[in-house]
Amino acid sequence: MTEFATDSILVLVEVSPSGAVLPSAAGLIGAAAAIGSPVALVVAAPGAGPAAAKAAGEFGATQVLVAERPDAATSLLVPTVDSLAAAAALVSPQAVLLSHSVQGRDVAARFAARTGSALAVDAVGISRDDEGPVVHHSVYGGSYLVDSAASSGAIVLTVRQGAIEARAAATKPTIETLEVPASGMRDVDIVDFEEVVVASSRPELRGAKTVVSGGRGLGSAEKFALVEELADVLGAAVGASRAAVDAGYVPQSHQVGQTGVTVAPQLYIALGISGAIQHRAGMQTAKTIVAINKDANAPIFEIADFGIVGDLFAVVPQLVSAIQSKRK
Amino acid sequence: MKIVVLIKEVPDTWGDRRLNSETGLLDRAGAEPVVDEINERALEVALTYADAQTGTEIVALAIGPASVPTSLRKALGMGADSAVHVLDDALVGADITLTAQVIAAAIKRIGFDLVIAGNVSTDGGGSAIPSMVAELLGVPGATYLNAVEITVDAVTGRRETEAGSFGVKAALPAVISITEALPDARFPNFKGIMAAKKKPFETLSLGDLDITPTEESRSIVLNVTQRPARTAGTVITDEGDAGQQLADFLAKNQLI
Ligand SMILES: Cc1cc2nc3c(=O)[nH]c(=O)nc-3n(C[C@H](O)[C@H](O)[C@H](O)COP(=O)(O)OP(=O)(O)OC[C@H]3O[C@@H](n4cnc5c(N)ncnc54)[C@H](O)[C@@H]3O)c2cc1C
Ligand SMILES: Nc1ncnc2c1ncn2[C@@H]1O[C@H](COP(=O)(O)O)[C@@H](O)[C@H]1O
């Protein structure tokens, strides 16, 4: 039986029903390695374990526990929660790290409820002091920075996607099979699954260095292409306001704001976005903010480093060609 | 069918939301307490089902401070049949795990076929409550549903995650949480508001739920710092060369 270091940090690597390891694992293992010894857990359907474990090693996990569960692709959460409970009992980690993804939050929540653990959500960083791990949060749209810790026991935490830049060096991990006693807990059935297809060569919104977002001011899905054009010239990710999402210009996954994605890029360009408080909550910690809006009273100008009162359909094409000619 | 809708009262996102820098707790003076918008949508899902199915009973449940009855009255005015409020001084600053334990205990006491929650609350709850409650109740928790269909013995829906799109199904009793892709809620009308005054409203303490919270919270706030507010920079009005000026600004700041 393998020994686990006293400073072990257990990391749940998210694996899709088809066996793909999600990219969030890189930041989680990077964060874990910075404060202790990362032990990764992969839960996958029979046969899919070894490839997933290898991928976890590439992200820097030195030890990987593999739970192959026949119901991993048909049962939504319980196989993973059961496996995490078994892994935590084996490893006795100082902290359990999961992605603040849809799946990660649910597993974290069920695991914390089952074990009565302290749960810290949406962490933007993690460090340690003499007492143990300290979790850093960014609250109310980044208006406040809050540090928290568990008063006793291992803390369970979910980490905001794209928030951690640290990466651990790739390893050839030791791989161990994890025996998982089934809890028998009733679960949600997966009826069908369509893998996300990364069709675009554009960067991921979360963690992007530059984001170009469009709002209701774009007027239609066709005209939203102007946002994409500027984004491509800048090598940027594409974001949107909730109004643009509601109007069907872009899918919900592009929404920036309180109930969408929180971004903190070097450069954020808001096109035809009024800058409602709920939108600002998702982007106001960007290093530089640029806004183009035809309404001089739009609240977005209160936080813009460079604002243009004007028609975006006139300004953006000129901007695109000006950037192109500067590069020549 | 008995449906419990979980209502969280939050500071209005349109207001000035503040934290107390000593305790890390919400400073209630800055923004009006309101029903979180996502919970109005959750209630709408229940009301739409009840419109089509006679014999549906909807209970609105909220855990929170003395201001909560106003929010629950709104839910009654929209059409919930009864309301339950868990109010207890020991819940001030309750951690997520304790809050979930209290919600689960209250739901058990009320009885349920289906629990409908919002996917995430706007005051930094972090969308843990619905899954925690499902775990504590020992039932399936189908969260983050963008589309929902309720039948007498099951709930089906679609869930988008970072991995892809899932079609999901849970046998009742179950917990679900819904996203803002589902429709906005109806307004309480005058008749509804008048009727709400006569609807059953129960207030429970932790003692009523046989919960004795431990003295110490599971998690502690070590430090709170407020970031300086952002200030406005240069704003120009386009006179035909704003695109060029912006390109110059970006170049000067090494952003292109
Ligand atoms: C609980 C809750 C959560 C929310 N969460 C979010 C969230 O996560 N993200 C989010 O974005 N919103 C969110 N909202 C909605 C938010 O309140 C606003 O309704 C939304 O952000 C408005 O989007 P918009 O700026 O695109 O649209 P509008 O407010 O309609 O603004 C459009 C802007 O485009 C400008 N415009 C129009 N034509 C042109 C043109 N040709 N050239 C230049 N400018 C032009 C107009 O002057 C206007 O300022 C939330 C609301 C609530 C209540
Ligand atoms: N104190 C509470 N009282 C009632 N319902 C709650 C409470 N906290 C959270 N919920 C429910 O759980 C959902 C997700 O909240 P959260 O986990 O705080 O993001 C909310 O939309 C509510 O439906």
Side-chain angles (χ1 to χ4, degrees):
Chain A
M1 180 56 62
T2 330
E3 293 283 313
F4 294 95
T6 49
D7 69 348
S8 287
I9 309 291
L10 182 59
V11 173
L12 178 72
V13 170
E14 194 169 330
V15 181
S16 84
S18 62
V21 167
L22 269 64
S24 58
L28 290 177
I29 295 170
I35 59 152
S37 312
V39 179
L41 167 66
V42 302
V43 185
K54 190 163 162 272
E58 276 154 23
F59 290 134
T62 43
Q63 285 172 299
V64 184
L65 299 171
V66 177
E68 290 195 335
R69 291 279 308 243
D71 50 0
T74 54
S75 191
L76 190 66
L77 294 162
V78 172
T80 311
V81 179
D82 289 357
S83 305
L84 189 58
L90 181 70
V91 175
S92 299
Q94 289 191 333
V96 179
L97 261 59
L98 301 93
S99 171
H100 195 63
S101 61
V102 170
Q103 196 75 5
R105 315 171 189 197
D106 281 339
V107 173
R110 292 197 84 124
F111 172 76
R114 193 179 286 188
T115 53
S117 308
L119 174 64
V121 291
D122 199 21
V124 294
I126 176 165
S127 59
R128 71 156 59 242
D129 67 8
D130 301 340
E131 317 272 313
V134 177
V135 187
H136 309 289
H137 307 266
S138 171
V139 180
Y140 290 150
S143 304
Y144 294 87
L145 299 175
V146 177
D147 297 341
S148 75
S151 39
S152 64
I155 191 158
V156 181
L157 71 142
T158 62
V159 179
R160 184 179 292 178
Q161 297 169 81
I164 308 278
E165 286 187 8
R167 292 292 178 270
T171 60
K172 262 211 168 63
T174 52
I175 296 176
E176 191 173 326
T177 306
L178 180 71
E179 291 309 324
V180 179
S183 64
M185 184 75 81
R186 295 176 50 227
D187 199 4
V188 175
D189 298 329
I190 301 172
V191 181
D192 64 76
F193 172 67
E194 289 159 34
E195 188 111 46
V196 96
V197 238
V198 192
S200 134
S201 51
R202 280 186 205 118
E204 238 313 275
L205 185 53
R206 293 184 168 94
K209 293 268 170 284
T210 309
V211 175
V212 180
S213 287
R216 200 192 321 253
L218 269 298
S220 71
E222 292 72 44
K223 290 196 258 175
F224 199 87
L226 190 59
V227 176
E228 291 160 4
E229 189 188 332
L230 178 58
D232 289 343
V233 169
L234 294 168
V238 171
S241 70
R242 184 164 92 171
V245 169
D246 285 350
Y249 304 167
V250 275
Q252 208 278 332
S253 56
H254 292 277
Q255 183 173 319
V256 171
Q258 173 141 24
T259 46
V261 175
T262 301
V263 295
Q266 292 296 312
L267 172 63
Y268 187 90
I269 303 185
L271 306 175
I273 292 177
S274 61
I277 195 161
Q278 299 89 352
H279 186 79
R280 282 153 53 177
M283 44 65 78
Q284 64 193 4
T285 65
K287 185 111 193 305
T288 301
I289 296 173
V290 169
I292 305 177
N293 194 306
K294 65 182 181 192
D295 173 8
N297 297 318
I300 192 77
F301 290 128
E302 292 163 18
I303 60 161
D305 298 289
F306 193 90
I308 295 174
V309 181
D311 181 359
L312 72 93
F313 294 106
V315 177
V316 174
Q318 187 183 74
L319 171 64
V320 167
S321 46
I323 294 171
Q324 280 161 342
S325 60
K326 274 188 196 294
R327 286 198 180 135
K328 267 184 203 137
Chain B
M1 164 123 33
K2 192 165 183 178
I3 303 177
V4 179
V5 178
L6 299 185
I7 305 282
K8 186 176 189 183
E9 188 180 79
V10 298
D12 193 346
T13 56
W14 292 105
D16 175 23
R17 300 181 301 164
R18 295 195 293 245
L19 287 184
N20 177 311
S21 57
E22 247 119 69
T23 59
L25 297 180
L26 168 69
D27 173 353
R28 292 189 180 269
E32 189 83 10
V34 295
V35 176
D36 208 354
E37 188 206 57
I38 194 68
N39 298 142
E40 296 185 1
R41 293 180 197 239
L43 178 57
E44 182 62 36
V45 171
L47 292 169
T48 307
Y49 181 77
D51 288 343
Q53 303 290 329
T54 47
T56 307
E57 186 192 342
I58 301 172
V59 185
L61 168 64
I63 319 299
S67 53
V68 160
T70 313
S71 294
L72 283 174
R73 292 264 171 236
K74 182 171 187 196
L76 292 173
M78 287 166 69
D81 298 297
S82 63
V84 177
H85 176 200
V86 184
L87 172 70
D88 201 305
D89 286 343
L91 287 171
V92 175
D95 60 52
I96 308 177
T97 312
L98 174 60
T99 305
Q101 286 166 344
V102 174
I103 293 176
I107 293 171
K108 265 190 203 149
R109 181 184 155 118
I110 295 165
F112 72 105
D113 297 296
L114 179 63
V115 176
I116 309 181
N119 61 336
V120 51
S121 57
T122 51
D123 68 342
S127 62
I129 292 291
S131 276
M132 283 189 138
V133 167
E135 177 75 24
L136 295 170
L137 293 171
V139 302
T143 57
Y144 273 80
L145 300 186
N146 282 339
V148 183
E149 201 196 331
I150 304 166
T151 61
V152 285
D153 55 6
V155 53
T156 53
R158 282 218 83 78
R159 160 180 166 107
E160 310 299 326
T161 79
E162 288 74 2
S165 169
F166 291 74
V168 293
K169 178 171 184 169
L172 300 185
V175 173
I176 64 170
S177 81
I178 56 115
T179 75
E180 62 183 13
L182 282 151
D184 218 344
R186 62 193 68 183
F187 286 106
N189 58 24
F190 180 70
K191 210 172 125 230
I193 294 165
M194 293 315 287
K197 298 197 167 125
K198 300 196 195 72
K199 287 178 177 172
F201 191 111
E202 194 177 17
T203 307
L204 301 174
S205 67
L206 291 188
D208 295 325
L209 297 171
D210 285 330
I211 291 179
T212 349
T214 48
E215 281 294 302
E216 196 179 46
S217 176
R218 285 176 189 82
S219 41
I220 40 172
V221 171
L222 303 174
N223 199 14
V224 178
T225 39
Q226 184 168 9
R227 268 205 213 168
R230 241 190 138 96
T231 49
T234 318
V235 179
I236 61 164
T237 301
D238 182 24
E239 276 158 2
D241 64 346
Q244 185 63 51
Q245 286 196 49
L246 175 52
D248 294 342
F249 169 85
L250 295 177
K252 197 179 87 206
N253 291 283
Q254 277 141 31
L255 290 164
I256 46 174

